[in-house]
Amino acid sequence: MTDEVFDAVTDGGTEGALGFWRLPGGFEKLLARWSAAGPVAYVEAEYFGGTGEQRAAVWADGELVLGPLDAPTKKWFSRSVSPISGALRRLGARRSPGEDEFDAVGLDRHRSNDGWIGGAEGEG
């Protein structure tokens, strides 16, 4: 969630933040509306030096149907049972042996928002 996207979608409120760090005020209502056409997820991850946190939630048919799920910094977890992998499973992601849903859908390609914005393989 870049600052520009955050500013474009927020209603300025903080109600309903669901425990996320960067969920814009009122954005969960838009996610619920979008989910009428198919399930949508909002996920956050923050890592430094292999330690970090994840949060995830899924909306379907206009309702919050999974989460919010979180995994705090001090709790070790397997990525296959992580909040993001759980959300991706709910969206229909399938993994191969030896990988998790995070890798299966390509979320391991970049390590920062700048990498995703730049779009180059292996960048950031």
Side-chain angles (χ1 to χ4, degrees):
M1 177 73 62
T2 65
D3 291 338
E4 294 81 9
V5 171
F6 184 95
D7 291 343
V9 299
T10 189
D11 66 5
T14 58
E15 184 179 330
L18 300 174
F20 288 97
W21 308 294
R22 292 278 297 167
L23 183 68
F27 193 52
E28 72 278 4
K29 295 173 190 160
L30 184 56
L31 292 167
R33 198 165 58 234
W34 287 344
S35 76
V40 296
Y42 180 85
V43 303
E44 294 180 339
E46 182 67 38
Y47 286 90
F48 182 77
T51 302
E53 298 182 50
Q54 290 187 9
R55 288 184 170 76
V58 176
W59 286 260
D61 299 318
E63 301 290 330
L64 182 64
V65 296
L66 181 67
L69 307 171
D70 66 0
T73 303
K74 298 191 187 303
K75 180 181 177 188
W76 182 89
F77 58 89
S78 164
R79 279 188 18 189
S80 65
V81 296
S82 73
I84 292 176
S85 286
L88 292 170
R89 270 192 303 280
R90 180 62 174 83
L91 295 179
R94 299 290 178 253
R95 62 185 177 96
S96 298
E99 71 178 353
D100 60 15
E101 291 80 5
F102 191 93
D103 293 334
V105 302
L107 290 177
D108 60 331
R109 290 182 302 180
H110 303 291
R111 295 182 172 265
S112 69
N113 283 346
D114 290 340
W116 285 104
I117 292 166
E121 287 296 319
E123 179 185 320

